[in-house]
Each structure stands twice: as structure tokens, then as C-alpha cells.
Amino acid sequence: MILSLLSMPARSAAFSSMSSFTRSSGTKIRNYSSTKLSMKLQTALVGLPNVGKSTLFNALTESQGAEMGNYPFCTIDANVGVVTVPDEKLEKLTELNSSEKTVPTTLEFVDVAGLIKGASQGEGLGNKFLASIRQSDAVVHVVRCFDDDDVIHVDGSVDAIRDAELINLELAFADLDQVENRLLRIKKDRNADPAEKQALEKIKEVLESDRPARFADLDEDEENAIKSFGLLSRKKMIYAANVADGDLATGNAMTEKLQELADSEGAKMVIVSAQVEAELVELDDEDRVDFLESLGVTMENSGLRALVREAYDLLQLQTYYTSGPQESRAWTIRKGWTAPKAAGVIHNDFERGFIRAETISYDDLMECGSEQAAKSKGLLRSEGKEYVVQEGDVILFRFNV
């Protein structure tokens, strides 16, 4: 069967442990210790207090890790939850190859305590909260799009656009403060990187025009020069419009306005119902489908699946697979990566000693029913170093070190 090397090391948030690899022929080779970070996606959940953020976090991670309450700052510290990315293709590969083990990709959610006006200046423990966002790859901005007199709003009324812009303004203020301070230091440093100075000046101009830092047009050198700053408003943004269950299928007037805001910013928006997600956790798979259907929604377009899809699209990510009798595994890479670079996510030696990638598309494999049948139809390809890996490729990497 098409597979990477069998007995691949377990990947975690950082490095894998020492592990033995076996070539597809069954020949043992020496142990390797990975020195390459895996592709781990981290998203920060942000929003005003009492918008349903912690309820959504607990539902998505199927935990009770985040304290919930009807008052500001119920969440004092950032809560972290790791969820497996739903993947029907991986499940079918496991069935096809009778794999002993299935390893999906993961998504890490960080529930950042509710932000308020003045957070960029430290109000409401703002500095501590903003630091949690800097480490993330993308921001999921939870915005309240429902009316409920029993749920307190910090400003006394519900206004999705006002609430969204308030948080965005605080993120931009924090960035502007950071950029200005850094530019002052650069002016005193004769050895400062010109690319960094130019990038910061571009970003400062954008921020002062009331736009997020992600609107600054930077070249590759400039982008690399400021990457370590973790600018908040330069991160990719997904608005999660939190609605009542009756509005989950169609949205409402507030979600329509929020979609317009997202479009104007180059952001994404998904409609979610934190309360519905919380109820789904208590149901089995069949009942979940029935419950969502009663609301006019499918599993593919609800909650976690919708957020994952938009996050992958925004961050230009995709998935390829390795599969065999011992293990079927999904790997996350960036779109446009060549085969050697994609192999490096498994182990750096795979990239360094890359020979070829024996590749078949998932759809072709499923249609043929086996690797042997696909090979007989000429659908199994031997790809070289310039091959750009495609979404859903099932790959065996050949390498020599």
C-alpha cells in the first residue's frame, strides 16, 4: 500500500522522541531523532466579555476547561484546548488499509479572557490577554449576534459592528504602540535592519489610517523582519457570529452587517451557535446529525468543521496523507510546498535525503479501491523534487541518508 515509512514517530506540539523507522521493504534502518517542528495550528478566541466565547471553547474542545459566568473577566487566564480536526478522508483510508492506528491533525484553541475598551493600555488585565494572542497563527473573533436580556452586555446593548470594531481598535492600538517603540530604538541603532525599518514604517502608516496591520503590503524580507513581533492586527481574522439556535441556518441582520465588515477587511466569517455546540457535546453522532437537521444545518457547516475550513483557507493550509496497515495519518502543510518540504514535516531527514514521492490522489485511490488497482491504471505517479503537493495526495516518500 502507498505509505510513508512505517512506524513513523508520534508528532506532538514540538519535537518527536527517538524512534525506529522501517522501510516499506521491511528492512530496519537506524534510529532518527526529529529536529523539525510539526505544523501545529493555534487559534486565539477573542471577544468582549459575555459573548459566548468560553461556552464555544468548551463545546469545541468538549471540555469544561474554561469557566463560564454572566459577568466580565470570568476567564482570568487563557485556557488551552487541543482538538482533532474532523477528517472523513482519513477515516476512509484507515478502513481501506485496515490501519491499526489513525492519527489526525490537530487544532489548538486558546480562550483569551474577555477584552474591554482600554485593553491595549492594560485595562481589565489587557496586557496579559494580548500576550496570549501574539503567539497564535490566527484569531477567531467571537461576536455576539443575539438578543437575550438574561445575558449581561458590558455596554448595556447588543451591536455587533460596534463590538467588533472596539476589539479591533484595541488590537490596532497595541500594535501601534509596539511599532512606535520599536522605531524609536531603530533610529538609535546604526546596525538596524533596513527591511525592518521599512516594514514598520509601512505598518505605522496603515495603523494610523484606522486599518489593521495586515493591510500593509510587505515584501518577503520585510515580512521576515517583523515576524517575531506577533503583531495582533496582522494576524488572519475569522469572525464567529454567535447566534441563537433559530438563526443558525440563515443568520440575521447582525450577521449580515458583520459579513460586510469581514469582506471589507479581507477576513472570514462563520455563523455559529455556542449554545447549540454545547448541546451537541451531549449527543451521540446520529443524534447530532438529527438535531442539526432540525435546525436546517449540516455537520459540515457547523461549529468546529466550519472554523477549521475557514482557518485552513485563510492560512493557505492543506492536508496530505500517509497510509498503510500500521498507520493512517494526516499531515498539515502550506499550499505550494514541494514534495521534499512536505516530507520534512514527517522528519527532516526525509527532506534532506529526498529521492521521490510515490503519489496518488485520494479520489483516484478510493475509486480504484486499492493501490494495486490504481497502479495498473497508471494513476500511481513517481514525482520528483519540483512536484507541488496537492490537497488529498496520498504519498510514499523514498529517501536516502
Side-chain angles (χ1 to χ4, degrees):
M1 183 57 220
I2 299 177
L3 66 160
S4 165
L5 300 189
L6 302 178
S7 305
M8 290 181 291
R11 306 292 297 189
S12 59
F15 300 95
S16 69
S17 59
M18 292 294 288
S19 188
S20 175
F21 289 79
T22 308
R23 292 194 187 280
S24 54
S25 62
T27 305
K28 284 274 188 178
I29 57 176
R30 67 180 176 83
N31 284 340
Y32 290 92
S33 178
S34 175
T35 57
K36 175 161 286 193
L37 286 170
S38 63
M39 289 287 296
K40 184 187 71 170
L41 177 62
Q42 184 184 82
T43 60
L45 289 175
V46 306
L48 289 171
N50 299 338
V51 297
K53 182 172 51 61
S54 292
T55 301
L56 183 62
F57 171 85
N58 286 340
L60 294 176
T61 59
E62 298 192 8
S63 72
Q64 294 300 317
E67 185 181 358
M68 298 177 293
N70 193 14
Y71 52 91
F73 312 123
C74 179
T75 305
I76 300 301
D77 295 306
N79 300 286
V80 180
V82 178
V83 301
T84 58
V85 174
D87 193 334
E88 291 182 5
K89 291 180 180 178
L90 182 62
E91 294 174 7
K92 290 185 177 180
L93 285 171
T94 296
E95 293 175 9
L96 182 69
N97 297 315
S98 301
S99 303
E100 296 176 5
K101 186 177 175 184
T102 305
V103 186
T105 56
T106 59
L107 174 63
E108 185 174 290
F109 284 107
V110 179
D111 177 28
V112 180
L115 302 175
I116 63 170
K117 186 176 182 179
S120 59
Q121 303 301 316
E123 291 294 325
L125 302 178
N127 289 332
K128 181 179 180 182
F129 301 162
L130 295 176
S132 299
I133 306 171
R134 294 193 194 282
Q135 303 168 24
S136 67
D137 299 293
V139 174
V140 175
H141 185 168
V142 183
V143 181
R144 178 172 169 176
C145 293
F146 66 90
D147 291 306
D148 187 338
D149 293 337
D150 293 330
V151 180
I152 297 170
H153 191 289
V154 290
D155 288 327
S157 63
V158 179
D159 186 326
I161 300 303
R162 178 202 63 200
D163 295 350
E165 290 181 340
L166 189 154
I167 295 296
N168 291 343
L169 193 60
E170 292 302 323
L171 299 182
F173 279 158
D175 284 345
L176 184 58
D177 185 56
Q178 185 181 13
V179 167
E180 288 178 335
N181 288 335
R182 182 58 185 165
L183 281 171
L184 287 175
R185 294 190 187 96
I186 287 177
K187 289 179 180 178
K188 301 175 183 178
D189 185 359
R190 294 180 179 179
N191 298 318
D193 182 359
E196 180 185 349
K197 182 175 183 294
Q198 190 168 335
L200 291 173
E201 288 175 342
K202 287 182 179 180
I203 291 171
K204 182 173 183 288
E205 182 180 353
V206 166
L207 291 170
E208 289 178 337
S209 66
D210 297 326
R211 292 181 296 166
R214 58 181 171 272
F215 273 67
D217 185 16
L218 307 184
D219 63 30
E220 186 176 354
D221 290 339
E222 293 167 344
E223 190 70 61
N224 290 334
I226 57 94
K227 190 174 183 179
S228 63
F229 298 156
L231 294 174
L232 305 173
S233 67
R234 193 158 180 81
K235 295 185 181 297
K236 302 292 187 180
M237 174 81 76
I238 301 172
Y239 288 103
N242 186 18
V243 300
D245 56 3
D247 293 327
L248 186 56
T250 59
N252 54 37
M254 285 184 277
T255 64
E256 289 176 4
K257 291 180 180 178
L258 191 60
Q259 183 66 70
E260 291 175 3
L261 177 64
D263 291 342
S264 71
E265 296 179 346
K268 297 281 188 178
M269 191 204 77
V270 297
I271 297 175
V272 300
S273 173
Q275 190 56 49
V276 168
E277 293 297 324
E279 292 179 33
L280 289 175
V281 172
E282 306 299 325
L283 304 176
D284 60 31
D285 289 344
E286 185 175 343
D287 288 339
R288 288 182 184 185
V289 173
D290 291 341
F291 179 46
L292 287 173
E293 285 182 353
S294 73
L295 298 174
V297 183
T298 65
M299 284 289 289
E300 282 303 312
N301 292 318
S302 69
L304 177 61
R305 292 172 188 262
L307 284 173
V308 169
R309 184 171 59 249
E310 297 298 348
Y312 270 55
D313 185 43
L314 264 183
L315 295 171
Q316 292 290 290
L317 301 176
Q318 64 182 20
T319 305
Y320 78 86
Y321 303 93
T322 56
S323 183
Q326 290 190 10
E327 177 183 282
S328 286
R329 184 185 290 247
W331 303 90
T332 299
I333 61 171
R334 296 204 180 275
K335 291 180 180 178
W337 277 17
T338 59
K341 194 167 186 179
V345 174
I346 300 175
H347 195 283
N348 61 341
D349 281 343
F350 281 33
E351 179 177 6
R352 183 162 57 92
F354 178 88
I355 298 174
R356 66 182 183 275
E358 296 179 5
T359 308
I360 184 172
S361 74
Y362 168 85
D363 289 339
D364 286 342
L365 181 57
M366 288 297 111
E367 185 176 341
C368 293
S370 71
E371 179 266 335
Q372 226 18 68
K375 186 175 182 180
S376 67
K377 294 183 179 181
L379 297 174
L380 175 61
R381 313 183 307 274
S382 181
E383 303 287 1
K385 293 182 178 181
E386 302 303 316
Y387 176 68
V388 176
V389 175
Q390 301 299 305
E391 170 69 32
D393 277 350
V394 186
I395 304 177
L396 159 63
F397 294 108
R398 300 287 187 182
F399 77 106
N400 183 32
V401 290

